[in-house]
Amino acid sequence: MRTEHERGITTLTLDSPANRNALSAALVAELAAALSACDPTPTTRAIVLTHTGSTFCAGADLKAPPDPAAFVALLRTIVEHPKPVVARVTGHVRAGGLGLLAACDISVAGPAATFAFTESRLGLAPAVISLPVLPRMDPRAAARYYLTGERFDAHEAARAGLITEAADDPNAALAPILSGLRRASPKGLTASKSLVTATILENFDRHAEALTALSASLFSSPDAHEGVTAFLERRDPAWVL
């Protein structure tokens, strides 16, 4: 991961293109530490989360997945961080990566971005990522894409409420957003963010424990073993008709 700072904006860049920025236990810990380091920094007005390579985040690293509780803690860290977190996406986002995206306060995606909740195809479910995803996403769209695992583009992601804006030029779209954040007072930003994240944090308070247990149970199930094995072997799982 790379960290850069310019005019009040700290940029955290997921920089593991070899495994498509998959969420390993190490990456989850590294991102959590980087976010915590931004917390007390008075020169940081907002955080931009972005990526190198053609994939923003491929979801859980199936060879070294994070502990579900650690991933829930990371998602909550983003949601309740006192500074706004803005996602800049120019590539693919899958499964757990959509949880990162939904936890961010503002998100802009370019024309090359694609999205998919692929968990059901692996014998899993979008369990813990539902904590930030479902409060933001249109229920009918969530039902369709949770169940089918279909891929959709940035315009559909924006229509469904998963991201803020689909833009031909994400940098141009982000310019007025970052300018607005630079003009806001630190206390005003923190107080304003607490208003728009209150419902999401209530969702964490109510459901995090049960969804963490569900995620752990699913990962240890026979269906998940078959789904993950099939994925790694580049074949269809046994249940495909």
Side-chain angles (χ1 to χ4, degrees):
M1 177 176 296
R2 300 203 314 262
T3 302
E4 301 167 284
H5 185 82
E6 182 182 3
R7 287 188 59 217
I9 305 299
T10 295
T11 300
L12 304 179
T13 303
L14 303 177
D15 190 22
S16 183
N19 73 341
R20 302 189 303 153
N21 295 316
L23 292 163
S24 63
L27 180 58
V28 166
E30 190 177 357
L31 180 53
L35 289 163
S36 296
C38 294
D39 193 335
T41 307
T43 55
T44 293
R45 194 60 49 81
I47 299 163
V48 171
L49 181 62
T50 190
H51 62 103
T52 59
S54 62
T55 300
F56 173 78
C57 179
D61 186 335
L62 298 178
K63 296 180 180 179
D67 179 76
F71 185 45
V72 168
L74 172 62
L75 295 177
R76 181 158 193 150
T77 293
I78 296 172
V79 174
E80 67 183 0
H81 201 286
K83 302 176 191 299
V85 182
V86 179
R88 174 188 174 276
V89 180
T90 59
H92 310 301
V93 194
R94 299 290 184 267
L98 293 166
L100 289 182
L101 200 57
C104 293
D105 302 288
I106 300 169
S107 51
V108 175
T114 66
F115 308 82
F117 295 95
T118 53
E119 290 91 342
S120 66
R121 299 186 179 192
L122 296 173
L124 302 167
V128 297
I129 69 169
S130 291
L131 294 166
V133 167
L134 292 183
R136 296 197 188 276
M137 197 170 179
D138 171 74
R140 284 295 190 185
R144 173 177 177 173
Y145 295 118
Y146 266 40
L147 296 174
T148 67
E150 291 173 90
R151 185 170 63 182
F152 52 101
D153 64 14
H155 288 285
E156 174 65 1
R159 185 204 67 78
L162 184 62
I163 65 171
T164 307
E165 183 177 350
D168 290 336
D169 184 344
N171 290 332
L174 280 172
I177 294 170
L178 298 182
S179 177
L181 294 174
R182 287 185 175 108
R183 295 178 65 86
S185 82
K187 287 186 177 179
L189 280 177
T190 298
S192 297
K193 174 169 176 170
S194 69
L195 294 174
V196 296
T197 57
T199 300
I200 299 174
L201 289 174
E202 288 173 3
N203 206 37
F204 274 80
D205 292 338
R206 290 193 185 103
H207 304 299
E209 185 176 352
L211 290 177
T212 300
L214 174 61
S215 180
S217 173
L218 288 170
F219 264 99
S220 63
S221 70
D223 270 20
H225 176 75
E226 167 61 11
V228 170
T229 300
F231 176 82
L232 295 174
E233 294 178 351
R234 299 179 181 273
R235 62 172 174 83
D236 284 340
W239 58 72
V240 172
L241 300 176

